[in-house]
Amino acid sequence: MRPARASGGAAASSWAFAALGGSLLGAALQLHQPKLWSAGAYAALFFAGLAGLAGLSRRWRPLPRAWRLPAGLAMVVALACGALAAGGLAGWRAVAYARGALDPALEGLDLQVVGVVAQMPQRSEGGTRFRLDVESARWADERLGSASRVPARIALGWYRDDTSLWGRAPESRAAATGGDAAALHAGERWRLTVRLKAPHGNLNPHGFDNELWLWEQGVHASGYVRTGARDAAPARLQSTWLHPVERAREAVRDAVFERVADARQAGVIAALVTGDQGAIDRSDWDVFRATGVAHLMSISGLHITMFAWLAAHVVGALWRRSGWLMLRVPAPQAALAGGVLLAGLYALFSGWGVPSQRTVWMLATAALLRFTGRRWPWPHVWLLIAAVVVALDPWALMQAGFWLSFVAVGILFATGFMRPAGETAGKWSRLLGFFREQWVITLALTPLSLLLFQQVSVVGLLANAVAIPWVTLVVTPLAMLGTVAAPLWTLAAWAVQALAVMLRWFAAWPYATLSMAAPPVWMAACGVAGGVLLAMRLPWSLRTLGLPLLLPVLLWHAPRPAEGQFELLAADIGQGNAVLVRTAAHSLLYDAGPRYSLESDAGHRVLVPLLRAFDERLDMLVLSHRDSDHTGGAAAVLAMQPQAALLSSIEATHPLQAVRPARRCAAGQRWTWDGVDFEILHPAADDYLSFTKPNAISCVLRIANGRATVLLAGDIERLQEAALVSRTADLRADVLLAPHHGSKTSSSAPFLEAVRPRIALVQAGYRNRFGHPAPEVVERYAAQGVKLVESVPCGAMLWRSREPGEVGCERERNARYWHHRLP
């Protein structure tokens, strides 16, 4: 009977392993749904999967042979049942989340809300951003009564500018503004007049999905506080006892900035103690990413795990001092429980971010296995941890941090670094093991990093070898102990400064970072497997088998248009223009998008990651004119693309001239790349002498290959359109970038009759304050039979010269149920 029991235990272990893998598969499949089903359908899937798993669990009991499923079939059934249960649970939760969405009828209207500030506010030079838990809502006009379907949690901005003046020019707006944003604090109850809209982010290839991030945070609406003369003044009603942790975090963060004079050093300390990553300067983030230590500057899984390890040792040491306690609970178990509990409290104080939550659930799951005395094979433990995290947060599967952390843990399991409890080693062995561990993780995660970020740090291994012990053993303890003894923050600031000097030196090395085009998912998976094989403790004859798997990722090049063909990618950058033009061997960027705030622009947020994902080396950046919605991201793009020439109509005193001297665009300039002709049609040389505003001298670029033609028109208006029609014998084009984002001052009927486009592209922001594209302009395009494609419902727009009548939309190509859809 013993062999039979062993066989049955092995079979049970196999189907349990399959069920765990199936749970990840089911959740992943559900996350790829473009639309949600009904709650009843998901509930049926969930209970069907549970019933199947319950039936399979009877294999642990002695059953008649005739009732037993073959082992292979049992694994398939377990995989399917795990997928049904996990997919059903994820969908069920998603339906519940979706019910909290903002009523479309409330968008863009003034509401008066009463709520409690739910998180510590994020302050900047432009204003204050915060989360508000809404308790009640009514129309700003009290005669209309209460408002329905206002989400329970909203994200708001309280800007320094008077928001009632947002339709006016920046100069007049600045002159009329009143006071600064109010000194909000977490836990306070406020009455505010707000204007809300549904979360609508930019969607670009390989770009950050802001809508998913807001969905995972439980935020279903964003907006701003109205501070105009006709709006009811914001009122602080009272301080509450709600959100005490957030109040403590805010007090600590503010104390750090008061104690440490250098704001950049204070930002790093505040981030390590309170989890406020926004406190770190953007230029410092660039250095951290270039040196591969960005994961150390936020409350990541590494911090929580190290804190749990230290806390467990302290609890265990104190526990052993009491014989009474030792008789009731063994010290190892008390240390384990105390470490997990204190790590959870640390994660809570640091903001309870999603990475921290995942780490706490991981530690709790591993601790529970230890408490029950189970000794599972490492693949089972690894999959169980992943399954628990995904059950609690299915959307973690779409986050880069999830894959980096769990692949790293799997690598440590597979390569033997997860030593059994009680195994000891000398100090030098541990030191060598530490460096080998860093080498293994760096090598194995390089393909995954290329897939997720299209960039790896060549100096990362060396930088982390110094930064990990320095941050973990010096900076972080001093920063945390500073909450008790504030002078220690000064020592932490010195430690941060010393680290910053070293990291900037590393970042200045030639080829400090390696950028490559984003490989396909299957290729990145093979690359990770190849890195693991090379790092495992195997004979070199077996390790070298990883090279064929690793090399395709490192040698991957994104496909380009054929000779004589070209393509356009109109990036989704909000209210502004940014169009990437690619030929067989050359690239051009027409405009660089807007500046969103003093801390953020389209260059850093959208264009630099986009260019990196395609491994683009721009030959030329064309800035149509000086307006900030066209030049806002130019500095970031030029910094990334030192070889790119600059062609523009900006004046000689423009700040960008100091970054890269610009050649003035003028009608008649022509060049040819790979069989594709480029020509500047406007402005003429004389136009620079008589222009009254920047729009009038927008650089108009025509691109043609003899079979298809594109016209990029910048912000020209009716007078310039008329001049183009009179100067140019043939203006016909298949694709037109709608002048001035579809403003009513442009797209005149004579101009459209001369161009006769098949497709017009409109790059404009969601619910932008200018009303672009104007209704009369939309009607004008429709009357001409032009297909109007807007970035708001489409996302990034892709057009290829070989298919001149088709436009691909990122929102359609990668539709997900959490993405906002226009009503």
Side-chain angles (χ1 to χ4, degrees), residues 89 93 97 216 357-358 360-362 364-365 385-396:
L89 179 61
R93 292 183 60 187
Y97 268 49
E216 198 172 15
Q357 295 177 40
R358 289 197 293 261
V360 171
W361 302 138
M362 178 188 72
T365 303
I385 291 172
V388 169
V389 170
V390 171
L392 294 168
D393 179 18
W395 302 284

Side-chain angles (χ1 to χ4, degrees), residues 244-470:
V245 175
E246 289 299 316
R247 293 204 307 273
R249 292 178 65 217
E250 182 182 2
V252 170
R253 182 196 62 183
D254 293 346
V256 170
F257 277 92
E258 290 177 5
R259 181 76 189 188
V260 180
D262 191 305
R264 296 174 68 173
Q265 297 169 14
V268 174
I269 296 172
L272 291 174
V273 177
T274 67
D276 183 10
Q277 297 184 36
I280 298 179
D281 189 84
R282 188 174 66 183
S283 61
D284 288 335
W285 275 123
D286 292 338
V287 173
F288 298 153
R289 294 189 184 99
T291 54
V293 302
H295 63 101
L296 296 174
M297 303 304 163
S298 59
I299 305 299
S300 63
L302 175 65
H303 291 85
I304 303 298
T305 303
M306 291 298 296
F307 185 88
W309 176 82
L310 179 61
H313 278 68
V314 172
V315 171
L318 295 176
W319 200 269
R320 291 183 180 91
R321 292 180 174 271
S322 171
W324 184 84
L325 292 174
M326 288 282 290
L327 291 174
R328 280 152 182 81
V329 180
Q333 292 189 7
L336 191 60
V340 173
L341 177 61
L342 291 175
L345 293 176
Y346 176 43
L348 186 65
F349 183 78
S350 65
W352 199 237
V354 174
S356 299
Q357 295 177 40
R358 289 197 293 261
T359 305
V360 171
W361 302 138
M362 178 188 72
L363 293 172
T365 303
L368 185 60
L369 287 176
R370 291 282 299 275
F371 281 139
T372 58
R374 298 185 181 275
R375 299 289 183 181
W376 286 11
W378 74 260
H380 291 62
V381 177
W382 184 60
L383 276 183
L384 176 64
I385 291 172
V388 169
V389 170
V390 171
L392 294 168
D393 179 18
W395 302 284
L397 284 171
M398 304 298 292
Q399 303 290 351
F402 171 85
W403 293 105
L404 288 173
S405 60
F406 279 100
V407 169
V409 170
I411 291 166
L412 294 178
F413 272 128
T415 54
F417 284 110
M418 295 294 189
R419 297 181 181 274
E423 185 175 338
T424 60
K427 290 187 294 184
W428 288 110
S429 297
R430 290 184 180 181
L431 182 62
L432 291 175
F434 167 78
F435 284 108
R436 185 173 182 276
E437 177 182 334
Q438 292 302 310
W439 163 252
V440 168
I441 293 178
T442 301
L443 178 63
L445 290 185
T446 294
L448 186 59
S449 299
L450 289 174
L451 172 68
L452 298 173
F453 308 115
Q454 296 80 55
Q455 182 179 10
V456 292
S457 175
V458 177
V459 299
L461 181 62
L462 186 57
N464 275 281
V466 179
I468 287 177
W470 186 254

Side-chain angles (χ1 to χ4, degrees), residues 108 110 157-169 172-179 193-195 224-232 234 769:
D110 291 344
W158 190 334
Y159 303 105
R160 296 183 187 276
D161 283 358
D162 185 344
T163 51
S164 68
L165 305 172
W166 274 17
R168 292 164 56 178
S172 62
R173 194 167 72 236
T177 52
T193 301
V194 301
R195 185 168 290 183
Y224 59 90
V225 178
R226 298 279 291 175
T227 56
R230 298 180 181 179
D231 300 310
R769 62 183 183 269

Side-chain angles (χ1 to χ4, degrees), residues 210-225:
N210 189 63
E211 294 177 36
L212 171 61
W213 183 78
L214 290 173
W215 172 283
E216 198 172 15
Q217 301 291 320
V219 177
H220 290 289
S222 61
Y224 59 90
V225 178

Side-chain angles (χ1 to χ4, degrees), residues 470-495:
W470 186 254
V471 172
T472 304
L473 303 177
V474 180
V475 178
T476 301
L478 288 173
M480 296 185 65
L481 290 173
T483 59
V484 180
L488 292 178
W489 280 332
T490 303
L491 296 179
W494 292 345

Side-chain angles (χ1 to χ4, degrees), residues 143-155:
R143 296 172 297 178
L144 300 178
S146 61
S148 62
R149 286 187 60 184
V150 174
R153 174 166 290 191
I154 58 179

Side-chain angles (χ1 to χ4, degrees), residues 230-251:
R230 298 180 181 179
D231 300 310
R236 178 184 177 277
L237 301 181
Q238 65 183 115
S239 181
T240 73
W241 290 100
L242 299 174
H243 308 294
V245 175
E246 289 299 316
R247 293 204 307 273
R249 292 178 65 217
E250 182 182 2

